Amino acid sequence: MAIIFELVINYGLNKRAANEAADLVEAHPALPVGPHLIPLHKPLLDTVSDTAGHPYLAMSVIPARVGWGVPLDRGSPHLPLTATELTELATNLYELLTTLTDYQAAIVGWDPESLVDPLELRQHWSEELATGELPGLVVANHIHLPPTTTFERFTDTHKWIPYKGSTP
């Protein structure tokens, strides 16, 4: 089983925006992290289903050599990062996210795919949303979630629960 550190983005059914974002990510230079330059794998774009079984486009942006057992890294040595370096990598991924548009939800972390489904967030994560326990979660301003005071401005079109760092 792979353990993947990634940026996951829910594009709803907006194929144009997802494809444009994939092109931007693919052309993005390696991310500076401490003494390292960490390239990004070609983004993975797939149709998945939300909690109700409705399809949406999910894009995964995976830094090379950071996760464990990642098939895309096969043949390359793992790059052990400190908590400070992993946090810097995540911060760089959030900076990249600020250049992307027309997505519904996004988050950086270890296998965070379930956290970009607004329906799942409403049904199963309302307590955590209310108390701000999902740091780094970014949602479009038009996405309705349980009342919370923890969201702050991320961009003109998105809000977030500010990121607090990552651990290896």
Side-chain angles (χ1 to χ4, degrees):
M1 179 177 155
I3 301 172
I4 303 172
F5 189 79
E6 62 191 317
L7 164 61
V8 178
I9 308 166
N10 174 342
Y11 274 96
L13 296 175
N14 192 335
K15 194 171 209 171
R16 177 204 48 80
N19 287 332
E20 287 176 4
D23 290 344
L24 287 170
V25 170
E26 192 168 354
H28 199 278
L31 301 175
V33 175
H36 315 286
L37 279 177
I38 300 177
L40 301 173
H41 288 293
K42 181 179 179 179
L44 302 176
L45 190 57
D46 197 15
T47 301
V48 297
S49 295
D50 68 12
T51 302
H54 300 111
Y56 68 89
L57 293 166
M59 185 169 76
S60 293
V61 179
I62 302 171
R65 302 176 40 221
V66 174
W68 296 95
V70 179
L72 296 170
D73 290 336
R74 194 164 286 133
S76 298
H78 174 75
L79 179 63
L81 297 178
T82 65
T84 300
E85 291 168 335
L86 199 58
T87 297
E88 184 179 356
L89 175 59
T91 300
N92 287 337
L93 289 168
Y94 280 113
E95 283 294 316
L96 171 60
L97 184 61
T98 66
T99 68
L100 307 179
T101 60
D102 298 322
Y103 59 91
Q104 292 186 11
I107 193 165
V108 173
W110 294 103
D111 300 318
E113 293 84 0
S114 67
L115 298 175
V116 297
D117 173 359
L119 183 59
E120 171 129 352
L121 289 168
R122 283 191 290 274
Q123 290 181 349
H124 301 289
W125 296 93
S126 58
E127 283 184 37
E128 290 83 354
L129 285 168
T131 57
E133 293 177 40
L134 297 176
L137 176 65
V138 180
V139 296
N141 291 337
H142 70 274
I143 299 292
H144 299 289
L145 294 174
T148 177
T149 58
T150 57
F151 280 105
E152 297 179 12
R153 181 186 182 278
F154 183 72
T155 64
D156 288 343
T157 56
H158 290 80
K159 58 191 174 190
W160 79 328
I161 299 172
Y163 173 70
K164 294 180 181 173
S166 294
T167 56

